[in-house]
């Protein structure tokens, strides 16, 4: 693919900072170790509130500018109060935002000007699994489908390549498609 | 070095062309066509330049070269240690110590099969083999086989096993898809003629990535068949995602199969575009450009497989190879045990040849050694 002068393209991603960080962290794997943290509190019923502000990275504690607060609940069809989206929908939020960030970064790096990037994420879920109605049905999504609509100064092939590369470098895509060891303890 | 009258000796722990005699499976043929079996001053001159040599024929070809070149090879000499010394390097060998002003590490890029760490989690009822001990299908227990890895080795072994009638599951991570022939010629003819293979290491954007690129999905067969995921699916091989872990007796596969397949499709098309552009500018007389159907991925590839269930009796780890440097006591390896070098120049008086993209994309291929060796030996000679 032809490389366009990056300075003429602006998707608002500071690719130089990312590339500098990549070079700096190559020789400093310790600094690349991040811990993302959320704290959650049960409210009532299946309603809980999760807060996120601090994380660890680059060798020290870090802070988001402001605390973010997420309500999770179940919808009324589950006989709940619907104070927020269901936990599994948060995975869709994570996937959509991660892939979108990837598209923007890769486009910037490849000198592709984006005009709009929209996506729809659908996770198919057979809830007989979580209800224990059929032990052959898994608890999680059966499958997830993401559909991007992208308007950019690039050929269809280049746009497909953008979307493919954004999956390849996506933290959430990896976390959803590959098994991760999870430990749950009582403090 | 003979041409430059540099006094030298070639130490080989086994026989000449040992890797081709001992470390290949029975049915293996080169994936490079005979016309690309070239070593300096020695080339294939048989009747079938488009054919593919068997491993035995490669061994004979290399031995023939050693004779023609009158190379001072000492076989059966194992180098057990290389250390920096006062005047160059001090070697320990199975024949005793030896000193050398310069040492060229030509010990190969594929001394050991790479197997993922979670192989220890595989239940004992499943037999595990690597390409080094695979041999032939009839040496595996009857029953289903999980082939892990879909590069040249994996696709070849999956096809061979499937053709014996066994159920075969192939776990495919990132891979390089190529048609066997393109516009009437071997695809590797295009790689060579268009100059892609000559691309130098200092012209490549992401050299680390280029050096880690898996081998292409190619097989050298008399029928010149293409052997990618679509062809394997047609043979009845079940394709699943990359094997991500083995846990509690279950093999867990990545759900990212569709993406690795489309990455491979896109990359193949870009490469074919490069060939077409070159053919147009160079005025190559060839049939019109071809495009190939996208990789068909099953609608819902299996994500897990019970290794205790008896469906799979054998796992074939076709997960790549790595060099072995246990005998190299010079601090030239990086944190991952890879040799640090700049185009084959490792340290004063210490050189390497035959590693991936050492100086060019073709560096690990038989015909790729010639240009690299000329440049590396010129550097060596200048330092003497
Ligand atoms: C499965 C497979 C298929 C391949 N197919 C092709 C193909 O189709 N076309 C192609 O061009 N290339 C192919 N290759 C690449 C092929 O390995 C090279 O083309 C060629 O064999 C490389 O030669 P080499 O001398 O660099 O390494 P090797 O052939 O590995 O030779 C290195 C030698 O060093 C010896 N040695 C290692 N350590 C020591 C020590 N400490 N002391 C003494 N001796 C030592 C080994 O015994 C070995 O004989 C393939 C490789 C593999 C693994």
């Amino acid at each position: 693919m032809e490389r366009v002068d990056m300075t003429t393209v602006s998707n608002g991603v500071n690719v130089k900072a990312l590339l500098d960080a990549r070079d700096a962290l190559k020789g400093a794997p310790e600094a690349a170790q991040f811990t993302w943290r959320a704290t959650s509190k049960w409210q009532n019923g299946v309603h809980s509130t999760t807060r996120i502000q601090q994380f660890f990275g680059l060798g020290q504690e870090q802070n988001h500018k402001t605390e973010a607060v997420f309500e999770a609940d179940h919808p009324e069809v589950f006989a709940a109060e619907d104070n927020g989206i269901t936990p599994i929908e948060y995975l869709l939020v994570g996937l959509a935002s991660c892939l979108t960030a990837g598209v923007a970064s890769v486009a910037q790096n490849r000198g592709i000007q984006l005009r709009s990037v929209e996506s729809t994420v659908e996770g198919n879920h057979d809830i007989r699994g979580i209800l224990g109605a059929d032990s052959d049905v898994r608890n999680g999504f059966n499958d997830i489908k993401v559909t991007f609509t992208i308007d950019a100064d690039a050929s269809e092939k280049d746009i497909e390549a953008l979307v493919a590369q954004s999956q390849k470098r996506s933290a959430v895509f990896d976390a959803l498609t590959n098994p991760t060891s999870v430990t749950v303890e009582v403090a | 070095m003979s041409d430059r009258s540099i006094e030298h000796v070639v130490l080989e722990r086994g026989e000449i062309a040992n890797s081709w005699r001992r470390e290949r499976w029975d049915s293996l043929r080169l994936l490079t066509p005979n016309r690309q079996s070239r070593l300096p001053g020695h080339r294939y001159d048989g009747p079938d330049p488009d054919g593919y040599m068997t491993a035995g024929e490669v061994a004979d070809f290399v031995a023939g070269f050693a004779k023609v070149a009158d190379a001072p090879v000492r076989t059966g000499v194992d180098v057990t240690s290389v250390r920096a010394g006062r005047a160059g390097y001090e070697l320990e060998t199975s024949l005793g110590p030896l000193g050398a002003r310069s040492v060229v590490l030509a010990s190969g890029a594929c001394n050991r099969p790479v197997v993922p760490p979670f192989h220890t989690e595989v239940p004992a009822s499943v037999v595990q083999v690597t390409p080094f001990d695979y041999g032939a299908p009839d040496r595996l227990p009857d029953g289903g086989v999980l082939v892990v890895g879909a590069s040249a080795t994996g696709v070849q072994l999956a096809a061979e096993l499937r053709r014996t009638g066994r159920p075969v599951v192939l776990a495919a991570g990132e891979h390089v898809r190529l048609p066997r022939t393109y516009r009437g010629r071997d695809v590797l003819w295009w790689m060579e003629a268009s100059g892609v293979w000559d691309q130098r290491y200092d012209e490549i954007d992401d050299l680390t990535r280029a050096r880690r690129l898996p081998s292409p999905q190619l097989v050298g067969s008399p029928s010149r068949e293409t052997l990618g995921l679509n062809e394997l699916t047609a043979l009845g091989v079940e394709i699943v995602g990359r094997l991500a872990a083995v846990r509690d007796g279950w093999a867990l596969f990545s759900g990212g199969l569709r993406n690795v397949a489309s990455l491979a499709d896109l990359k193949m098309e870009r490469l074919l575009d490069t060939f077409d552009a070159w053919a147009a500018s160079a005025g190559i007389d060839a049939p019109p450009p071809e495009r190939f159907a996208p990789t068909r991925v099953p609608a819902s590839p299996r994500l897990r497989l019970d290794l205790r269930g008896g469906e799979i009796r054998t796992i074939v780890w076709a997960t790549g190879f790595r060099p072995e440097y246990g005998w190299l006591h010079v601090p030239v390896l990086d944190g991952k045990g890879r040799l640090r070098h700049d185009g084959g120049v490792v340290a004063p008086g210490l050189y390497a040849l035959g590693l991936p993209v050492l100086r060019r994309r073709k560096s690990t291929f038989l015909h790729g050694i010639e240009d690299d060796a000329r440049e590396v030996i010129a550097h060596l000679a200048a330092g003497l």
Side-chain angles (χ1 to χ4, degrees):
Chain A
M1 181 188 40
E2 218 163 299
R3 220 166 245 267
V4 186
D5 182 5
M6 283 184 356
T7 54
T8 63
V9 163
S10 174
N11 297 324
V13 182
N14 190 342
V15 165
K16 184 171 178 312
L18 294 179
L19 295 179
D20 287 350
R22 176 164 86 176
D23 284 341
L25 293 179
K26 253 184 204 162
E30 327 76 55
Q33 306 309 312
F34 275 63
T35 303
W36 305 106
R37 278 189 212 114
T39 55
S40 185
K41 191 171 165 47
W42 174 61
Q43 301 293 352
N44 181 44
V46 293
H47 175 203
S48 65
T49 305
T50 301
R51 296 169 184 274
I52 293 184
Q53 179 153 33
Q54 287 187 323
F55 58 96
F56 180 89
L58 303 178
Q60 58 185 43
E61 286 299 325
Q62 309 274 357
N63 266 289
H64 282 289
K65 266 198 297 201
T66 54
E67 185 185 56
V69 181
F70 303 94
E71 303 295 339
D73 201 348
H74 283 168
E76 288 178 345
V77 290
F78 287 1
E81 286 177 6
D82 208 1
N83 288 300
I85 62 174
T86 60
I88 202 164
E89 286 169 300
Y90 277 104
L91 294 181
L92 304 183
V93 177
L95 183 61
S97 50
C98 195
L99 291 177
T100 304
V103 166
S105 311
V106 178
Q108 182 75 41
N109 193 30
R110 293 185 176 179
I112 295 174
Q113 179 64 55
L114 299 172
R115 280 184 292 273
S116 86
V117 181
E118 290 176 17
S119 63
T120 314
V121 189
E122 288 174 295
N124 293 312
H125 191 194
D126 184 342
I127 66 162
R128 285 177 302 169
I130 49 174
L131 292 175
D134 185 336
S135 58
D136 291 333
V137 174
R138 68 180 287 187
N139 295 334
F141 288 124
N142 290 331
D143 49 59
I144 300 177
K145 180 150 199 266
V146 186
T147 312
F148 270 100
T149 311
I150 296 178
D151 181 14
D153 289 328
S155 69
E156 213 173 294
K157 279 273 160 265
D158 286 347
I159 290 176
E160 271 177 45
L162 267 187
V163 173
Q165 184 67 16
S166 79
Q167 292 166 72
K168 195 177 146 179
R169 284 277 165 266
S170 165
V172 180
F173 183 87
D174 174 82
L176 281 172
T177 52
N178 290 309
T180 307
S181 159
V182 179
T183 311
V184 181
E185 290 176 340
V186 178
Chain B
M1 283 193 266
S2 301
D3 293 347
R4 292 173 177 270
S5 307
I6 300 171
E7 198 194 330
H8 66 286
V9 62
V10 181
L11 302 181
E12 166 58 57
R13 63 158 74 112
E15 296 171 70
I16 291 178
N18 205 54
S19 67
W20 290 99
R21 295 185 201 279
R22 306 248 180 282
E23 295 170 358
R24 306 287 187 258
W25 53 95
D26 297 0
S27 66
L28 177 75
R29 284 174 182 269
L30 285 188
L31 51 81
T32 39
N34 290 334
R35 62 173 80 251
Q36 286 171 347
S37 289
R38 292 194 305 270
L39 290 166
H42 190 57
R43 57 169 60 224
Y44 172 85
D45 59 2
D48 185 11
D50 290 318
Y52 309 92
M53 287 185 189
T54 62
E57 288 166 347
V58 182
D60 294 343
F61 176 80
V62 176
F65 168 71
K67 212 179 232 151
V68 173
D70 202 13
V73 184
R74 304 283 300 270
T75 54
V77 183
D78 193 8
V79 176
T80 53
S81 167
V82 173
R83 267 174 220 290
R86 257 168 291 121
Y89 293 89
E90 287 166 10
L91 285 70
E92 307 279 346
T93 80
S94 52
L95 275 192
L98 194 74
R101 288 277 296 280
S102 304
V103 173
V104 180
L105 309 170
S107 44
C110 303
N111 308 113
R112 294 269 184 283
V114 174
V115 174
F118 50 75
H119 78 274
T120 53
E121 303 293 317
V122 172
S125 56
V126 174
V127 172
Q128 303 182 49
V129 301
T130 70
F132 277 18
D133 43 41
Y134 163 82
D138 59 17
R139 280 191 247 162
L140 305 188
D142 283 338
V145 184
L146 169 62
V147 178
V148 183
S151 293
T153 303
V155 298
Q156 292 180 24
L157 300 187
E160 166 168 291
L161 286 160
R162 179 64 202 137
R163 285 178 173 133
T164 65
R166 292 161 189 268
V168 176
V169 179
L170 175 65
E174 270 193 68
H175 54 271
V176 178
R177 180 183 177 197
L178 283 184
R180 178 71 266 185
T181 56
Y182 183 62
R183 300 179 67 181
R185 297 183 210 236
D186 197 293
V187 75
L188 298 181
W189 176 88
W190 289 93
M191 288 292 282
E192 181 166 32
S194 68
V196 171
W197 257 349
D198 279 325
Q199 202 184 9
R200 288 174 51 97
Y201 76 112
D202 46 11
E203 297 166 357
I204 293 173
D205 272 351
D206 190 343
L207 183 58
T208 313
R209 187 179 152 64
R211 286 183 169 157
R212 292 190 48 215
L213 198 68
S215 59
Q217 292 176 329
L218 286 176
V219 59
S221 70
S223 66
R224 303 179 87 192
E225 64 174 324
T226 291
L227 192 56
L229 298 186
N230 283 348
E231 292 72 22
L232 288 165
T233 300
L235 280 174
V237 172
E238 177 185 349
I239 314 289
V240 297
R242 181 175 161 273
L243 179 58
V246 176
R247 193 189 292 152
D248 303 329
W250 289 78
L252 305 176
F253 305 110
S254 169
L257 177 61
R258 201 171 298 277
N259 189 46
V260 291
S262 61
L263 281 166
D265 289 350
L266 287 161
K267 276 185 205 148
M268 175 179 71
E269 289 197 15
R270 281 204 291 271
L271 184 67
L272 301 181
D273 287 343
T274 309
F275 294 164
D276 295 338
W278 167 78
S281 69
I284 299 300
D285 182 26
E290 301 169 68
R291 285 299 174 266
F292 302 90
T295 302
R296 288 188 312 275
V297 173
S300 32
R302 258 205 282 188
L303 299 174
R304 34 188 247 146
L305 196 161
D306 183 1
L307 293 174
R308 294 205 189 99
E311 176 189 349
I312 294 297
R313 299 291 314 284
T314 311
I315 295 181
V316 177
W317 298 107
T319 29
F321 303 93
R322 64 172 174 82
E324 206 278 309
Y325 294 120
W327 41 270
L328 184 58
H329 303 297
V330 186
V332 288
L333 301 182
D334 69 13
K336 292 185 175 169
R338 290 178 305 213
L339 191 70
R340 271 196 301 257
H341 66 91
D342 179 11
V345 180
V346 180
L350 190 60
Y351 298 89
L353 282 172
L355 297 177
V357 201
L358 185 97
R359 297 185 73 85
R360 292 172 177 78
R361 286 203 187 266
K362 65 181 175 185
S363 289
T364 26
F365 292 91
L366 288 168
H367 69 279
I369 194 70
E370 178 165 8
D371 289 342
D372 283 7
R374 194 182 329 101
E375 293 171 11
V376 165
I377 300 308
H379 193 288
L380 182 153
L384 287 179

